[in-house]
Amino acid sequence: MGPCSSQQRKPATAGQALMPGTQQGNVDGFKVGPDIFVTLKQGSISNFYKIEKSLGSGAFGDVRLVIHKSSGCKRAMKQIRKDKIIKEDEENMFSEVNTLKELDHPNIVTLHELFQDAKNYYLVTEYLEGGELFQKITDMKHFTEKMAADIMKQILGGVVHCHQKKVVHRDLKPENILFENKKPNSNLKIIDFGTSRKMENNQNLTKRLGTPYYIAPEVLKRNYNEKCDVWSCGVILYIMLCGYPPFGGQDQEILQNIEIGKYEFDPEDWSKISEDAKNLIKKMLTKDYQQRISAQEAYNDPWIQKNAPNGQIDMKAIKNLSSFFGKNKVRAALMQFITTNLMTNTEKEGLLNEFKKIDKDGNGQISKEELLQVYMKQYDEIKAKQMVDDIFEKVDINKSGFVDFTEFMMSAASEEKLLSKIKLQQAFNMFDTNGDGQISREELQEIMGGVDDNLWKEILQMCDANGDGQISQQEFIDFLVKKYQQ
């Protein structure tokens, strides 16, 4: 029996918008992406996670550290009590889940699972143990403009990705920016998309949401777009550089000062800060949002680009891109599962840094042009174009025209490490939800949406060596390791 010998989870009937479609009838039509692994599941979450310490609490429930029983992975679990939320809040929660499913960026939190039982919903995300933004800065012995630029570059990169996906966060603040670990150069991630919304048909938003100090003046007037996030980033940058907010006061006074939109750079506190930094803040805190710079323009600002570290790209670190085998979509999907769920942040660290160096505009996607610039430093233009075209053919699994973040991490990682015996066993145990040593069609569909009867038959043709209609651990491992060409 596997380590999770409890009752099998069943896909829920509620929240059907979270369930990937199952209209695909073959491997070629199978949709591949990290989002296919996030479906609404029913059952006791304690059957699959060991509940540890509390990480905080909110109006609707607690956030706790949990440990996945099959893999040992630490994760954060947000518990939302059903008796504490109204219908609109429930819709907001599903909206948050659907938003996070669409986002794939190194500076945005990863959503792993969504459960429900009779009393609660449970959102399971990656565990970020490095602490909140300002706490991290407070703990530093010294803090420089270069450090501030590196932090703001990461935040803006995540915001650029959101805005390209038509997602407005609406509550960017230091408490919603966490570091992965306690290392000085730790990667950071934006969290809490509970108030986020998609911009539909470029229609402005009207709901007054946000946190005093960080809320934009146009939000107070209930007529705004995605640039409200840029304003919030400007406030965060201002505080990082001087230690207090640009718009102070008590309660309602804060909002009145924001509506006026006037602030200053007190010479006593700002004399040692560069004019470039001040100029960027001015452009981000422009009261008229139509005149305010975009997140992409802020990311490209000279102060960000000249201060934040770039560095030379290590070609050895990305050599696996050209040898990745991504023809079989099911195999690629399983490898994405391992990349997202079982690779540790330490294992990802080196590749993450290389990804950021290649992704010049910070949007979380590598274009052909960006990758071509890398290879043209090593080869002539004709050879470089051939290599880039070949890489995109194999690595751009979802045919978006870009190499997405997860696609890069999966294909650039060493297969020896990604498909190690331990990770393969952990992955199999996570799919084998009833612990009987076999993966059934229902179990695969439960974890990886989009597996209809026709696709299951094709998967069995590739994996089911003994013809018993299920996939054993050895068959699962053989399928991933032997690189089937079908």
Side-chain angles (χ1 to χ4, degrees), residues 325-341:
F325 180 86
K327 186 177 181 181
N328 185 282
K329 287 190 174 183
V330 175
R331 180 177 184 269
L334 293 174
M335 290 180 69
Q336 283 196 359
F337 178 84
I338 294 172
T339 301
T340 304
N341 290 274

Side-chain angles (χ1 to χ4, degrees), residues 237-257:
L237 179 55
Y238 185 102
I239 299 173
M240 275 200 290
L241 293 175
C242 74
Y244 54 83
F247 308 101
Q250 297 293 325
D251 302 326
Q252 193 63 32
E253 186 182 359
I254 298 171
L255 302 183
Q256 290 172 352
N257 289 333

Side-chain angles (χ1 to χ4, degrees), residues 245-270:
F247 308 101
Q250 297 293 325
D251 302 326
Q252 193 63 32
E253 186 182 359
I254 298 171
L255 302 183
Q256 290 172 352
N257 289 333
I258 290 172
E259 284 185 311
I260 296 170
K262 289 187 178 181
Y263 61 94
E264 61 182 22
F265 297 110
D266 189 323
E268 186 175 338
D269 299 313
W270 288 86

Side-chain angles (χ1 to χ4, degrees), residues 54-64 77-79:
S54 174
L55 299 175
S57 60
F60 304 128
D62 298 324
V63 179
R64 291 188 174 89
M77 179 195 75
K78 181 193 290 187
Q79 175 183 336

Side-chain angles (χ1 to χ4, degrees), residues 134 152 155-156 159 172-173 177 213-214 216 227-242 244-247 263 265 270 277-286 292-293 298 303:
F134 284 169
M152 187 49 59
I155 297 170
L156 286 170
V159 175
L172 288 171
K173 57 185 178 182
I177 299 166
Y213 291 126
Y214 306 98
K227 287 186 178 179
C228 67
D229 289 340
V230 177
W231 175 281
S232 300
C233 288
V235 174
I236 292 169
L237 179 55
Y238 185 102
I239 299 173
M240 275 200 290
L241 293 175
C242 74
Y244 54 83
F247 308 101
Y263 61 94
F265 297 110
W270 288 86
K278 296 175 190 175
N279 288 334
L280 174 58
I281 290 173
K282 290 175 184 176
K283 289 182 281 188
M284 297 171 80
L285 294 184
T286 298
R292 190 180 307 151
I293 61 173
W303 181 78

Side-chain angles (χ1 to χ4, degrees), residues 136 140 147 150-151 154 179 181-187:
K136 180 97 170 179
M140 293 178 180
M147 293 177 181
D150 180 39
I151 288 171
Q154 293 186 66
F179 287 86
N181 54 56
K182 298 185 182 299
K183 295 180 182 179
N185 60 343
S186 172
N187 188 55

Side-chain angles (χ1 to χ4, degrees), residues 82 265 313 339 402:
K82 291 182 176 180
F265 297 110
I313 295 168
T339 301
F402 299 90

Side-chain angles (χ1 to χ4, degrees), residues 370-396:
E370 287 171 330
L371 193 58
L372 185 60
Q373 292 303 311
V374 174
Y375 280 89
M376 282 183 64
K377 293 177 181 179
Q378 300 284 324
Y379 308 97
D380 63 66
E381 185 174 355
I382 294 176
K383 176 66 173 176
K385 284 183 177 179
Q386 288 176 337
M387 294 184 71
V388 169
D389 286 343
D390 181 58
I391 287 171
F392 265 71
E393 181 63 29
K394 293 185 291 188
V395 175
D396 180 19

